[in-house]
């Protein structure tokens, strides 16, 4: 009897959204192999190494650490060990601790962090609903804050939609690719395949990066700017386009606002390539050449990564990139536009679902009374009207805030590991130690679990159904491959159990 079964699902390792065909042995409940599915729009039957081999942890080989299999709590305070307990005890304990903190300090004393990785859009929606409808705060955020949050904010301000305006397959038909702070061959090999195909078709590539990366070696124009001077370069390119009349006047008139004011400012000599040459360490002629090439086509695609978003001027750089496309008419048609290629599989979907301190699902502002009343009616509750706390400000609210009523006293963390991934690790670890109550939902016992008062075992990718939104905004069905081992539950189910225990049946 053949016990092998092929199941199509979506790779969890980046935002490309590659479709995988996994072979599962239903008798032993193990994944046997993975290969690219020809049904994948982006990967067309191909996979990178992550997709080919990154499922082995589902079989629990204990390469690095054990999977969490059962709920755990600390019964004697922060210094006591975590001990396994029943789901009922863990849920009741967590509910009582959260309700006590809310009663003493108010709902804004609780912070929630969601996950842009394995759980999917459904869990993202439930997470922000839990924090808002059950806890009563907009203090909810996720890892986009420290990766592509600037892309969401910048594009929302520029064009009203914080997402790619070009699909990944279209990249191979671009005539010019402006690549800044992004190295696709390393971070998104399947996207890099499209760039290579574009190059073979005659596409010209501009690469901006302090290091000579793989993308730099592919480039026709390589601009090795000094780190941290992205905005100077982008303004200089805009200066060239405006002063040399390389802009698309018809497109600007029909589809943009405010260009005349912007053009008057950017035309000043202080933005000229010669004026920024010393700071950027770039040849002014090379900057002019890049600007002219960018503007020479109506099929120019701009790709960026965290080389521009993880700076204090990240939002402004995203707006500047978008402005270059708007000025030259490179928006709104095939094989053109902007592409912030997401690093994690569901950063786009998690933002779409409203896992942000200032927006509900669909990027609807929490400060808009009409929007808020709509959600109050749907959820049957009263919702807070002020913007919540971004996760980057949690340490300040714990370590430096003197008023206990304004401090964070509880941190609920789902599928994130701030103790290993936040920018200032010593600070965040002191923060987690100082917070009264930390709850974690995860699949492995990570660094953050070491600081947790409660640990819930969640199902991993491959152990539940879900939907991801790939970086170019396609909804993709993620299918369950195997039954979870131990006593794990899906993240959304854990939140629903907790919400019900706190008096809000979900």
């Amino acid at each position: 009897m053949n016990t092998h079964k092929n199941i199509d699902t979506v790779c969890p390792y980046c935002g490309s959204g590659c479709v995988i065909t996994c072979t599962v042995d239903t008798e032993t409940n193990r994944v046997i192999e993975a290969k690219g599915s020809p049904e994948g729009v982006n990967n067309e039957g191909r996979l990178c190494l992550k997709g080919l081999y990154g499922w082995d942890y589902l079989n629990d080989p204990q390469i690095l650490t054990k999977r969490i299999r059962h709920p755990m709590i600390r019964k004697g305070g922060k210094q006591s060990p975590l001990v396994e307990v029943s789901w009922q005890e863990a849920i009741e304990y967590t509910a009582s601790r959260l309700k006590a903190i809310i009663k003493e300090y108010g709902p804004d004393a609780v912070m929630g962090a969601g996950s842009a990785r394995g759980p999917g859009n459904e869990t993202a929606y439930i997470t922000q609903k839990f924090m808002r409808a059950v806890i009563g705060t907009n203090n909810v955020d996720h890892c986009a804050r420290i990766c592509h949050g600037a892309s969401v904010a910048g594009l929302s301000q520029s064009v009203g939609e914080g997402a790619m305006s070009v699909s990944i397959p279209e990249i191979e038909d671009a005539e010019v690719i402006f690549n800044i702070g992004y190295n696709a061959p390393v971070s998104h090999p399947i996207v890099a395949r499209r760039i290579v195909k574009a190059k073979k078709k005659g596409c010209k590539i501009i690469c901006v990066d302090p290091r000579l990366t793989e993308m730099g070696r592919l480039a026709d124009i390589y601009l090795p700017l000094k780190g941290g001077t992205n905005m100077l370069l982008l303004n200089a390119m805009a200066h060239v386009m405006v002063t040399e009349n390389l802009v698309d006047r018809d497109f600007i008139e029909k589809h943009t606002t405010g260009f005349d004011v912007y053009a008057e400012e950017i035309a000043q000599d202080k933005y000229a390539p010669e004026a920024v040459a010393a700071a950027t360490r770039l040849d002014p002629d090379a900057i002019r050449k890049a600007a002219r090439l960018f503007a020479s086509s109506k099929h120019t695609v701009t790709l960026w990564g965290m080389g521009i978003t993880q700076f204090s001027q990240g939002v402004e750089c995203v707006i500047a990139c978008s402005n270059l496309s708007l000025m030259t008419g490179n928006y709104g048609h095939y094989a053109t536009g902007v592409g912030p290629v997401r690093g994690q599989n569901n950063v786009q979907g998690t933002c779409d679902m409203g896992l942000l301190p200032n927006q509900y699902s669909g990027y609807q502002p929490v400060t808009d009374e009409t929007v808020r009343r709509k959600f109050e009616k749907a959820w049957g509750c009263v919702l807070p009207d002020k913007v919540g706390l971004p996760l980057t400000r949690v340490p300040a609210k714990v370590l430096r805030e003197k008023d206990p009523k304004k401090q964070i006293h509880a941190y609920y963390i789902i599928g994130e590991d701030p103790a290993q991934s936040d920018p200032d690790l010593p600070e965040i670890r002191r923060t987690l130690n100082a917070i009264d109550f930390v709850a974690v939902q995860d699949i492995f016992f990570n660094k953050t679990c070491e600081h947790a008062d409660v640990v819930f075992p969640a199902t991993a990718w491959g152990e539940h159904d879900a939907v991801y939104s790939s970086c170019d905004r396609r909804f993709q069905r993620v299918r369950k491959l195997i039954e979870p081992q131990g006593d794990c539950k899906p993240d959304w189910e854990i939140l629903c159990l907790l919400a019900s225990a706190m008096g809000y049946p979900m």
Side-chain angles (χ1 to χ4, degrees):
M1 179 180 175
N2 184 9
T3 61
H4 288 189
K5 181 180 181 181
N6 290 332
I7 302 173
D8 276 0
T9 188
V10 180
C11 181
Y13 284 106
C14 79
S16 299
C18 298
V19 179
I20 307 178
T21 300
C22 290
T23 302
V24 177
D25 188 328
T26 56
E27 185 176 17
T28 61
N29 195 42
R30 293 172 67 86
V31 180
I32 306 301
E33 68 172 352
K35 56 185 178 182
S37 169
E39 300 298 317
V41 173
N42 283 349
N43 59 310
E44 298 178 319
R46 294 169 174 82
L47 289 178
C48 75
L49 293 175
K50 292 177 284 186
L52 284 170
Y53 304 112
W55 44 265
D56 56 356
Y57 70 94
L58 291 173
N59 298 336
D60 200 20
Q62 297 184 212
I63 294 172
L64 294 175
T65 184
K66 292 181 180 180
R67 288 283 303 275
I68 303 169
R69 297 299 188 195
H70 304 280
M72 296 181 284
I73 66 174
R74 296 188 197 274
K75 294 191 174 184
K78 290 282 188 184
Q79 303 306 313
S80 64
L82 285 163
V83 295
E84 292 184 0
V85 296
S86 67
W87 270 102
Q88 182 178 355
E89 183 175 354
I91 290 292
E92 288 178 354
Y93 175 73
T94 304
S96 65
R97 290 293 303 271
L98 288 173
K99 286 194 288 186
I101 287 169
I102 292 169
K103 182 178 180 180
E104 184 170 357
Y105 301 107
D108 287 336
V110 183
M111 180 71 196
S115 177
R117 289 186 277 270
N121 285 341
E122 300 83 356
T123 293
Y125 181 87
I126 291 294
T127 301
Q128 58 94 29
K129 180 181 178 182
F130 172 81
M131 290 302 299
R132 288 172 165 131
V134 182
I135 301 297
T137 182
N138 285 318
N139 290 349
V140 63
D141 207 355
H142 72 291
C143 65
R145 180 68 49 194
I146 48 176
C147 64
H148 269 290
S151 298
V152 174
L155 289 176
S156 294
Q157 292 180 44
S158 176
V159 293
E161 183 67 40
M164 287 179 70
S165 67
V166 61
S167 72
I168 289 172
E170 289 175 57
I171 292 172
E172 70 176 67
D173 290 324
E175 294 173 350
V176 178
I177 292 175
F178 178 57
N179 184 96
I180 179 168
Y182 175 53
N183 189 24
V186 170
S187 55
H188 300 91
I190 300 300
V191 177
R193 172 176 159 264
R194 300 286 183 174
I195 297 171
V196 170
K197 291 177 76 172
K199 175 83 172 178
K200 289 180 178 178
K201 292 179 180 180
C203 175
K204 301 298 183 183
I205 298 174
I206 307 162
C207 179
V208 182
D209 202 302
R211 298 181 304 125
L212 182 58
T213 61
E214 289 82 354
M215 278 302 300
R217 296 186 185 99
L218 278 174
D220 298 273
I221 301 175
Y222 170 53
L223 300 174
L225 86 171
K226 182 180 183 294
T229 62
N230 298 318
M231 198 65 193
L232 292 176
L233 169 64
L234 293 168
N235 282 339
M237 289 180 65
H239 174 92
V240 174
M241 293 177 186
V242 169
T243 57
E244 295 187 10
N245 197 28
L246 303 177
V247 300
D248 186 334
R249 294 283 176 181
D250 183 60
F251 184 92
I252 290 168
E253 185 175 334
K254 289 180 179 177
H255 303 294
T256 72
T257 59
F259 174 74
D260 290 340
V261 175
Y262 173 77
E264 184 179 354
E265 172 67 25
I266 208 73
Q268 296 183 53
D269 290 343
K270 65 180 179 179
Y271 296 112
E274 293 74 17
V276 304
T280 61
R281 298 180 187 170
L282 293 175
D283 181 350
D285 289 339
I287 297 175
R288 290 184 180 278
K289 186 178 178 182
R292 290 163 185 160
L293 178 58
F294 187 111
S296 69
S297 171
K298 288 295 182 285
H299 292 285
T300 295
V301 171
T302 300
L303 302 176
W304 68 79
M306 285 177 274
I308 69 168
T309 60
Q310 290 188 327
F311 285 85
S312 59
Q313 291 181 323
V315 174
E316 289 77 10
C317 284
V318 168
I319 293 172
C321 286
S322 183
N323 283 345
L324 296 182
S325 292
L326 288 170
M327 282 192 293
T328 55
N330 277 295
Y331 255 119
H333 56 273
Y334 181 77
T336 192
V338 298
V341 191
R342 310 301 201 204
Q344 291 172 352
N345 57 327
N346 204 40
V347 170
Q348 187 62 55
T350 312
C351 291
D352 293 346
M353 293 298 110
L355 207 60
L356 298 165
N358 61 327
Q359 293 170 326
Y360 297 113
S361 316
Y363 306 99
Q364 301 174 81
V366 298
T367 52
D368 187 314
E369 185 177 354
T370 302
V371 170
R372 190 168 61 254
R373 286 181 176 175
K374 176 177 65 175
F375 278 91
E376 286 178 340
K377 182 179 179 181
W379 293 348
C381 63
V382 177
L383 294 171
D385 61 357
K386 66 178 182 179
V387 172
L389 193 71
L391 58 81
T392 48
R393 291 194 58 214
V394 171
K397 282 289 186 179
V398 175
L399 301 177
R400 292 182 285 280
E401 176 59 60
K402 302 301 182 184
D403 185 352
K405 292 289 185 181
K406 296 180 180 179
Q407 293 173 343
I408 294 295
H409 292 271
Y411 202 172
Y412 201 104
I413 303 167
I414 301 170
E416 286 292 329
D417 190 10
Q420 185 64 33
S421 60
D422 272 26
D424 188 337
L425 292 180
E427 181 184 59
I428 190 64
R429 290 170 184 174
R430 291 197 306 273
T431 299
L432 292 169
N433 282 333
I435 294 176
D436 297 345
F437 180 70
V438 177
V440 174
Q441 287 179 204
D442 220 305
I443 61 176
F444 289 110
F445 195 90
N446 57 31
K447 286 290 184 181
T448 303
C449 290
E450 297 175 7
H451 305 269
D453 299 277
V454 176
V455 177
F456 291 118
T459 53
W461 169 88
E463 296 174 343
H464 55 240
D465 293 302
V467 170
Y468 294 160
S469 297
S470 63
C471 61
D472 57 3
R473 298 182 292 172
R474 283 170 298 109
F475 287 167
Q476 293 185 286
R477 178 75 181 274
V478 182
R479 291 177 174 85
K480 185 177 183 178
L481 302 176
I482 62 173
E483 293 300 322
Q485 300 173 39
D487 206 9
C488 304
K489 294 182 184 294
D491 288 284
W492 65 263
E493 185 177 343
I494 300 170
L495 287 171
C496 289
L497 289 170
L498 184 55
S500 298
M502 294 182 69
Y504 185 99
M506 213 195 282

